[in-house]
Amino acid sequence: MKFVRFENGGSAMYGIVKDDNTVVEISNSPIGQSYEKTGNSYDLADVKILAPNPNPIKMLCLARNYRSHLHGVAEPTRPEPFYKTPTAIIGPGDPIKVTADSGLVVCESELVVIMGKRAKNVSEEDALDYVFGYTAGNDVSAREWQSDDTQWWRAKSADTFGPTGPFIVTDIDPQDVNIRGLVNGVEGQKCHSSEMIFDVRQSISFISRYVTLECGDMLWTGTSGTTPPINVGGDVTVEIDKIGVLHNPVEAA
């Protein structure tokens, strides 16, 4: 299933994407709950696509989860999550806003997991049973803040530093998708999700030993390679197989 959150006539709605060009409206968010079809449908090209999951209780992001991104740093021996605040979330087409004092800001193209039910002390074997679906994310990062601040509170969670979308897809293997990041149309990142040091099952199981994952919580699974810089006046795109294309312009805050 491919779900979308969209705006039509000034209202936010949820729908099922059919044949990549039609949205069949449903009664409510499908994440962790039942829904009904309303009988309304729209052309996908005629609606504004919104961030698919705008209000998770929390988001955790995996640091150094691709060997190509280690750059000489020791490989982690366990998943290393950090928090990213939900107020960073924006949707497709929304501008990433960069402040004058942020220094070097980069794109981090990532597969994002959306939990479908509460997970506590789950096994690796059962971990995917707690997942609702997957979307694309850009873990926008200000590198100078990241290195200078005691915590990554603004480097990773500044307003607009969390683009997500365009869709939530429920029926993919999270370890079998290609991920690309492009800045101004030029490819800056390319990897396959099988390259993760800790896969989605391992990460959910590990995190849930210590922190309960709630329905709607989001797990950002890490980024690869050398992350490309983004600049005011440019744009950035994250592409993930079977999920879609997440595109955002970059503006001055």
Side-chain angles (χ1 to χ4, degrees):
M1 297 285 285
K2 182 181 287 187
F3 294 96
V4 64
R5 179 171 168 265
F6 65 99
E7 182 180 299
N8 183 66
S11 299
M13 306 174 180
Y14 293 86
I16 300 168
V17 179
K18 296 291 187 181
D19 302 320
D20 291 328
N21 54 28
T22 301
V23 181
V24 177
E25 184 185 340
I26 58 177
S27 56
N28 50 267
S29 169
I31 301 173
Q33 55 189 334
S34 60
Y35 58 86
E36 297 179 354
K37 295 179 181 179
T38 66
N40 299 323
S41 62
Y42 310 90
D43 289 339
L44 188 61
D46 293 338
V47 301
K48 175 178 172 54
I49 299 177
L50 305 174
N53 183 38
N55 298 304
I57 294 173
K58 57 185 173 293
M59 303 193 294
L60 292 102
C61 309
L62 296 178
R64 303 181 182 126
N65 202 33
Y66 283 82
R67 291 181 180 87
S68 62
H69 190 60
L70 295 179
H71 303 306
V73 176
E75 184 173 316
T77 58
R78 61 180 180 271
E80 293 286 357
F82 60 89
Y83 287 102
K84 189 177 183 81
T85 60
T87 50
I89 292 175
I90 57 173
D94 295 335
I96 299 167
K97 296 191 175 182
V98 177
T99 62
D101 62 338
S102 58
L104 173 64
V105 179
V106 300
C107 160
E108 293 195 0
S109 307
E110 305 195 15
L111 176 69
V112 179
V113 180
I114 300 174
M115 303 303 295
K117 55 185 177 180
R118 174 178 285 194
K120 178 63 178 176
N121 289 324
V122 302
S123 67
E124 291 183 17
E125 181 181 11
D126 295 336
L128 295 189
D129 294 339
Y130 292 80
V131 172
F132 175 74
Y134 307 88
T135 193
N138 182 354
D139 180 23
V140 179
S141 304
R143 292 294 189 229
E144 292 178 23
W145 290 345
Q146 193 173 354
S147 61
D148 292 345
D149 293 350
T150 301
Q151 299 288 333
W152 294 355
W153 67 281
R154 58 174 176 166
K156 295 285 191 173
S157 293
D159 292 345
T160 75
F161 275 23
T164 58
F167 310 118
I168 303 173
V169 179
T170 62
D171 56 353
I172 63 173
D173 179 350
Q175 307 312 142
D176 190 24
V177 292
N178 291 301
I179 304 168
R180 298 175 71 217
L182 302 93
V183 176
N184 303 330
V186 178
E187 183 178 278
Q189 289 182 290
K190 184 177 182 180
C191 71
H192 191 267
S193 59
S194 62
E195 299 169 28
M196 292 179 195
I197 297 172
F198 298 100
D199 65 23
V200 172
R201 290 178 182 271
Q202 292 170 310
S203 298
I204 289 174
S205 178
F206 177 80
I207 291 169
S208 73
R209 292 183 213 166
Y210 310 101
V211 174
T212 300
L213 293 168
E214 301 286 357
C215 180
D217 282 354
M218 299 168 74
L219 173 63
W220 298 57
T221 56
T223 201
S224 67
T226 300
T227 51
I230 63 176
N231 295 288
V232 171
D235 60 80
V236 59
T237 303
V238 177
E239 298 179 357
I240 302 184
D241 290 348
K242 304 169 189 174
I243 292 176
V245 177
L246 171 64
H247 181 84
N248 298 91
V250 184
E251 297 180 357

